[in-house]
Coordinates of all heavy atoms in Angstrom, one line a residue:
R42 N 74.0 72.5 30.4 CA 73.8 71.1 30.0 C 72.5 71.1 29.2 O 71.6 72.1 29.4 CB 73.6 70.1 31.1 CG 74.9 69.9 32.0 CD 74.6 68.8 32.9 NE 75.7 68.9 34.0 CZ 75.5 68.5 35.2 NH1 74.5 68.0 35.7 NH2 76.7 68.5 36.1
P43 N 72.3 70.3 28.2 CA 71.1 70.1 27.6 C 69.9 70.0 28.6 O 70.0 69.2 29.6 CB 71.2 69.0 26.6 CG 72.7 68.8 26.5 CD 73.3 69.3 27.8
G44 N 68.8 70.7 28.3 CA 67.7 70.5 29.2 C 67.7 71.6 30.4 O 66.7 71.7 31.1
D45 N 68.7 72.3 30.5 CA 68.8 73.3 31.5 C 67.8 74.5 31.2 O 67.4 74.7 30.0 CB 70.2 74.0 31.7 CG 71.1 73.1 32.5 OD1 70.7 72.1 33.1 OD2 72.3 73.5 32.6
S46 N 67.3 75.1 32.1 CA 66.4 76.3 31.8 C 67.1 77.4 31.2 O 68.4 77.5 31.3 CB 65.8 76.7 33.2 OG 66.7 77.2 34.1
P47 N 66.4 78.2 30.4 CA 67.0 79.4 29.7 C 67.6 80.4 30.8 O 67.2 80.4 31.9 CB 65.9 80.0 28.9 CG 64.8 79.1 29.0 CD 65.1 78.1 30.1
V48 N 68.5 81.1 30.3 CA 69.3 82.1 31.2 C 68.2 83.1 31.8 O 68.3 83.5 32.9 CB 70.4 82.9 30.4 CG1 70.9 84.1 31.2 CG2 71.5 81.9 30.1
W49 N 67.2 83.4 31.0 CA 66.3 84.4 31.4 C 65.5 84.0 32.7 O 65.0 84.8 33.5 CB 65.2 84.9 30.3 CG 64.1 83.8 30.0 CD1 64.2 82.9 29.0 CD2 63.0 83.6 30.6 NE1 63.1 82.1 29.0 CE2 62.3 82.5 29.9 CE3 62.3 84.2 31.7 CZ2 61.0 82.2 30.4 CZ3 61.0 83.8 32.1 CH2 60.3 82.7 31.5
V50 N 65.4 82.7 32.9 CA 64.6 82.1 34.0 C 65.4 82.5 35.2 O 64.9 83.0 36.3 CB 64.5 80.5 33.9 CG1 63.9 80.0 35.3 CG2 63.5 80.3 32.8
A51 N 66.7 82.3 35.3 CA 67.6 82.7 36.5 C 67.6 84.2 36.6 O 67.5 84.6 37.8 CB 69.0 82.2 36.2
V52 N 67.5 84.9 35.6 CA 67.6 86.4 35.7 C 66.2 86.9 36.2 O 66.1 87.7 37.1 CB 67.8 87.1 34.3 CG1 67.6 88.5 34.4 CG2 69.2 86.7 33.9
A53 N 65.0 86.2 35.8 CA 63.7 86.6 36.3 C 63.6 86.3 37.8 O 63.1 87.1 38.6 CB 62.7 85.9 35.5
I54 N 64.1 85.1 38.2 CA 64.1 84.8 39.6 C 64.9 85.7 40.4 O 64.5 86.2 41.5 CB 64.6 83.3 39.8 CG1 63.6 82.3 39.2 CG2 64.8 83.0 41.2 CD1 64.1 80.9 39.0
G55 N 66.1 86.0 40.0 CA 67.0 86.9 40.7 C 66.3 88.3 40.8 O 66.3 89.0 41.8
L56 N 65.8 88.8 39.6 CA 65.1 90.1 39.6 C 63.9 90.2 40.6 O 63.8 91.2 41.3 CB 64.5 90.3 38.2 CG 63.9 91.8 37.9 CD1 65.1 92.8 38.1 CD2 63.3 91.7 36.5
V57 N 63.2 89.1 40.8 CA 62.1 89.2 41.8 C 62.6 89.3 43.2 O 62.1 90.2 43.9 CB 61.3 87.9 41.6 CG1 60.3 87.7 42.9 CG2 60.4 87.9 40.4
F58 N 63.6 88.6 43.5 CA 64.2 88.8 44.9 C 64.8 90.1 45.1 O 64.7 90.8 46.1 CB 65.1 87.6 45.2 CG 64.5 86.4 45.7 CD1 64.1 85.4 44.6 CD2 64.2 86.2 46.9 CE1 63.5 84.2 45.1 CE2 63.6 85.0 47.4 CZ 63.3 84.0 46.4
F59 N 65.6 90.5 44.0 CA 66.2 91.8 44.2 C 65.3 92.9 44.3 O 65.4 93.9 45.1 CB 67.2 92.1 42.9 CG 68.0 93.3 42.8 CD1 69.2 93.3 43.6 CD2 67.5 94.5 42.2 CE1 69.9 94.6 43.7 CE2 68.2 95.7 42.3 CZ 69.5 95.7 43.0
L60 N 64.2 93.0 43.5 CA 63.3 94.1 43.5 C 62.4 94.1 44.8 O 62.0 95.1 45.4 CB 62.4 94.1 42.3 CG 63.0 94.5 41.0 CD1 62.0 94.4 39.8 CD2 63.7 95.9 41.0
A61 N 62.2 92.8 45.3 CA 61.4 92.7 46.6 C 62.4 93.3 47.6 O 61.8 94.0 48.6 CB 61.2 91.2 46.9
G62 N 63.7 93.1 47.6 CA 64.6 93.7 48.6 C 64.6 95.3 48.4 O 64.6 95.9 49.4
V63 N 64.6 95.7 47.2 CA 64.5 97.2 47.0 C 63.2 97.7 47.5 O 63.2 98.8 48.2 CB 64.6 97.6 45.5 CG1 64.3 99.0 45.3 CG2 65.9 97.2 44.9
S64 N 62.1 97.0 47.4 CA 60.8 97.5 47.9 C 60.8 97.6 49.4 O 60.4 98.5 50.0 CB 59.7 96.5 47.5 OG 58.5 96.8 48.0
A65 N 61.5 96.5 50.0 CA 61.5 96.5 51.5 C 62.3 97.6 52.0 O 62.0 98.3 53.1 CB 62.1 95.2 52.0
M66 N 63.5 98.0 51.4 CA 64.3 99.0 51.7 C 63.6 100.4 51.6 O 63.7 101.2 52.4 CB 65.6 99.1 50.9 CG 66.6 98.0 51.3 SD 68.2 98.2 50.4 CE 68.7 99.8 51.1
M67 N 62.8 100.5 50.5 CA 62.0 101.7 50.4 C 61.1 101.9 51.5 O 61.0 103.1 52.0 CB 61.2 101.7 49.1 CG 62.1 102.0 47.8 SD 61.2 101.9 46.3 CE 60.1 103.2 46.4
Q68 N 60.4 100.8 51.9 CA 59.4 100.9 53.0 C 60.2 101.3 54.3 O 59.7 102.0 55.2 CB 58.7 99.6 53.2 CG 57.8 99.3 52.1 CD 57.1 97.9 52.3 OE1 57.0 97.4 53.4 NE2 56.8 97.3 51.1
G69 N 61.4 100.8 54.5 CA 62.2 101.1 55.7 C 62.6 102.6 55.7 O 62.6 103.2 56.7
F70 N 63.0 103.1 54.5 CA 63.3 104.6 54.5 C 62.2 105.4 54.5 O 62.3 106.5 55.1 CB 64.2 104.8 53.3 CG 65.6 104.3 53.4 CD1 66.0 103.3 52.5 CD2 66.5 104.7 54.3 CE1 67.4 102.8 52.6 CE2 67.7 104.2 54.5 CZ 68.2 103.2 53.6
T71 N 61.0 105.2 53.8 CA 59.9 106.1 53.8 C 59.0 105.9 55.0 O 58.3 106.9 55.3 CB 59.1 105.8 52.6 OG1 58.5 104.5 52.6 CG2 59.9 106.0 51.3
G72 N 59.0 104.9 55.7 CA 58.2 104.7 56.8 C 57.1 103.7 56.5 O 57.0 103.2 55.5
P73 N 56.3 103.4 57.6 CA 55.2 102.5 57.5 C 54.2 102.8 56.4 O 53.9 103.9 56.2 CB 54.6 102.3 58.9 CG 55.0 103.6 59.5 CD 56.3 104.1 58.9
M74 N 53.7 101.7 55.8 CA 52.7 101.9 54.7 C 51.3 102.3 55.4 O 51.1 102.0 56.6 CB 52.4 100.5 54.0 CG 53.7 100.0 53.5 SD 54.4 101.0 52.2 CE 54.4 100.0 50.8
D75 N 50.4 102.8 54.6 CA 49.1 103.1 55.2 C 48.3 101.8 55.2 O 48.7 100.8 54.8 CB 48.5 104.3 54.4 CG 48.1 103.9 53.0 OD1 48.1 102.8 52.6 OD2 47.8 104.9 52.2
S76 N 47.0 101.9 55.6 CA 46.3 100.8 55.8 C 45.9 100.1 54.5 O 45.6 99.0 54.5 CB 44.9 101.2 56.5 OG 44.2 102.1 55.7
S77 N 46.0 100.8 53.4 CA 45.8 100.1 52.1 C 47.0 99.5 51.5 O 47.0 99.1 50.2 CB 45.1 101.1 51.1 OG 46.0 102.2 50.9
G78 N 48.2 99.6 52.2 CA 49.4 99.0 51.6 C 50.1 100.0 50.7 O 51.1 99.7 50.0
N79 N 49.8 101.3 50.7 CA 50.4 102.3 49.9 C 51.5 103.0 50.6 O 51.6 102.9 51.8 CB 49.4 103.3 49.4 CG 48.4 102.7 48.3 OD1 48.9 101.9 47.4 ND2 47.2 103.1 48.4
L80 N 52.5 103.6 49.9 CA 53.5 104.4 50.5 C 52.8 105.5 51.4 O 51.7 106.0 51.1 CB 54.5 104.9 49.6 CG 55.2 103.9 48.8 CD1 56.0 104.6 47.6 CD2 56.2 103.3 49.8
P81 N 53.5 106.1 52.4 CA 52.9 107.2 53.1 C 52.5 108.4 52.3 O 53.1 108.5 51.2 CB 54.0 107.6 54.1 CG 54.9 106.4 54.1 CD 54.8 105.7 52.9
S82 N 51.6 109.1 52.7 CA 51.0 110.2 51.9 C 52.0 111.3 51.5 O 51.8 111.9 50.5 CB 49.9 110.9 52.7 OG 50.3 111.4 53.9
G83 N 53.1 111.5 52.3 CA 54.0 112.5 51.9 C 55.1 112.0 50.9 O 55.9 112.8 50.6
T84 N 55.0 110.8 50.4 CA 56.0 110.3 49.5 C 55.9 111.0 48.1 O 54.8 111.3 47.6 CB 55.8 108.8 49.2 OG1 55.8 108.1 50.5 CG2 56.9 108.2 48.4
S85 N 57.1 111.4 47.5 CA 57.0 112.0 46.2 C 56.5 111.2 45.2 O 56.5 110.0 45.2 CB 58.5 112.6 45.9 OG 59.3 111.3 45.7
R86 N 56.0 111.9 44.1 CA 55.4 111.2 43.0 C 56.4 110.3 42.3 O 56.1 109.2 41.9 CB 54.7 112.3 42.1 CG 54.0 111.6 41.0 CD 53.1 112.7 40.3 NE 52.4 112.3 39.2 CZ 51.2 111.7 39.2 NH1 50.6 111.4 40.3 NH2 50.7 111.3 38.1
P87 N 57.7 110.7 42.0 CA 58.7 109.9 41.4 C 59.0 108.6 42.1 O 59.0 107.5 41.6 CB 59.9 110.8 41.2 CG 59.4 112.1 41.3 CD 58.2 112.1 42.2
L88 N 59.0 108.8 43.5 CA 59.2 107.5 44.3 C 58.0 106.6 44.2 O 58.2 105.4 44.2 CB 59.5 108.0 45.8 CG 60.1 106.8 46.6 CD1 61.5 106.3 46.0 CD2 60.4 107.5 48.0
R89 N 56.8 107.1 44.2 CA 55.6 106.3 44.1 C 55.7 105.6 42.7 O 55.3 104.4 42.6 CB 54.3 107.1 44.2 CG 54.0 107.7 45.5 CD 52.7 108.4 45.6 NE 52.4 108.9 46.9 CZ 52.0 108.2 47.9 NH1 51.6 107.0 47.7 NH2 51.7 108.7 49.1
A90 N 56.0 106.3 41.6 CA 56.0 105.7 40.3 C 57.1 104.5 40.3 O 56.9 103.5 39.8 CB 56.4 106.8 39.3
F91 N 58.2 104.8 40.9 CA 59.3 103.7 41.0 C 58.7 102.5 41.8 O 59.0 101.4 41.5 CB 60.5 104.4 41.6 CG 61.7 103.4 41.7 CD1 62.3 102.9 40.5 CD2 62.2 102.9 43.0 CE1 63.3 102.0 40.6 CE2 63.3 102.1 43.0 CZ 63.8 101.6 41.8
Y92 N 58.1 102.8 42.9 CA 57.6 101.7 43.7 C 56.4 100.8 43.0 O 56.4 99.7 42.9 CB 56.9 102.3 45.0 CG 56.4 101.3 46.0 CD1 57.4 100.7 46.8 CD2 55.2 100.9 46.2 CE1 57.0 99.7 47.8 CE2 54.7 100.0 47.1 CZ 55.7 99.5 47.9 OH 55.2 98.5 48.8
D93 N 55.6 101.5 42.1 CA 54.6 100.9 41.4 C 55.2 100.2 40.3 O 54.8 99.0 39.9 CB 53.6 101.9 40.7 CG 52.7 102.5 41.7 OD1 52.5 101.9 42.8 OD2 52.0 103.5 41.5
L94 N 56.3 100.7 39.6 CA 57.1 99.9 38.6 C 57.7 98.7 39.1 O 57.7 97.6 38.5 CB 58.1 100.9 38.0 CG 59.0 100.3 36.9 CD1 58.1 100.0 35.7 CD2 60.0 101.3 36.4
I95 N 58.2 98.8 40.3 CA 58.8 97.6 41.0 C 57.7 96.5 41.2 O 57.9 95.3 40.8 CB 59.4 97.9 42.4 CG1 60.7 98.7 42.2 CG2 59.6 96.6 43.2 CD1 61.3 99.2 43.5
G96 N 56.5 96.8 41.7 CA 55.4 95.9 41.8 C 55.0 95.3 40.6 O 54.8 94.1 40.4
M97 N 54.9 96.0 39.5 CA 54.5 95.5 38.2 C 55.5 94.6 37.7 O 55.2 93.5 37.0 CB 54.2 96.7 37.2 CG 52.9 97.3 37.5 SD 51.4 96.3 37.6 CE 51.5 95.3 36.1
T98 N 56.8 95.0 37.8 CA 57.8 94.1 37.4 C 57.9 92.8 38.0 O 58.0 91.7 37.4 CB 59.3 94.8 37.4 OG1 59.2 96.2 36.7 CG2 60.4 93.9 36.9

Side-chain angles (χ1 to χ4, degrees):
R42 296 181 193 154
D45 282 353
S46 61
V48 170
W49 75 264
V50 171
V52 173
I54 291 168
L56 186 65
V57 166
F58 278 91
F59 183 83
L60 291 177
V63 171
S64 177
M66 284 186 66
M67 285 178 66
Q68 292 176 29
F70 286 120
T71 61
M74 306 297 239
D75 66 16
S76 61
S77 64
N79 293 319
L80 292 170
S82 60
T84 306
S85 69
R86 191 163 171 87
L88 194 57
R89 284 180 185 282
F91 183 63
Y92 189 74
D93 287 343
L94 182 63
I95 287 172
M97 286 307 306
T98 303

